[in-house]
Amino acid sequence: MELRVRREAWEGMWRDARARAPREAVGLLVGRGVAEEAWPLPNASDRPQAHYRAEPLALLTALRRADELGLEVLALYHSHPAGAPLPSAADEAEASWRVPYVILGLPEGQARAFLLPQGDEVKIRVEP
Ligand SMILES: [Zn+2]
């Protein structure tokens, strides 16, 4: 399995992650087969510097919008402003989506994707 992400969506996701540091960013990657857009979502966690929770109403609105536009949710992303791009215990415990979870590790400037809670890594391919 491979996650294909267009350059523009890739850069949008990183911009979001950097803009929200030291808080964790969260959002969706949507598209048709390949992720074309990054859609940031509010982080409703009460400790957003070390945890994320996509704000439920915003998430629902985004899912409806994707549906209306004929876009699939291809991945969820969130950032680790001070950590490695590896799933935390909470990331594994709270995972409920079957799509890959992209984790952006800001100190290393690297992103990795995993199926959670299994932990299988998914290769990310950034495309023009
Ligand atoms: Zn995390």
Side-chain angles (χ1 to χ4, degrees):
M1 188 178 182
E2 189 178 62
L3 174 65
R4 297 165 58 206
V5 184
R6 293 241 191 278
R7 171 78 48 195
E8 197 180 316
W10 178 257
E11 285 170 1
M13 186 175 70
W14 277 104
R15 261 198 309 278
D16 179 35
R18 293 195 175 105
R20 286 201 257 179
R23 292 164 182 247
E24 293 196 9
V26 54
L28 303 177
L29 290 178
V30 300
R32 299 172 185 88
V34 48
E36 294 158 18
E37 294 177 29
W39 288 359
L41 295 168
N43 183 352
S45 172
D46 56 9
R47 45 186 187 92
Q49 302 204 352
H51 183 247
Y52 76 96
R53 188 171 73 90
E55 197 282 308
L57 187 58
L59 176 59
L60 190 63
T61 304
L63 294 176
R64 285 209 186 112
R65 184 166 160 238
D67 228 31
E68 284 164 13
L69 296 171
L71 301 171
E72 304 163 76
V73 174
L74 296 168
L76 266 84
Y77 71 86
H78 76 279
S79 63
H80 287 173
L86 295 168
S88 66
D91 290 341
E92 287 177 3
E94 295 166 13
S96 57
W97 291 69
R98 302 184 68 176
V99 294
Y101 286 77
V102 175
I103 305 174
L104 294 84
L106 268 58
E108 298 169 39
Q110 294 209 342
R112 293 170 72 178
F114 302 89
L115 294 175
L116 298 178
Q118 310 89 299
D120 301 327
E121 184 157 10
V122 175
K123 187 180 179 326
I124 301 175
R125 184 148 59 103
V126 182
E127 303 184 348

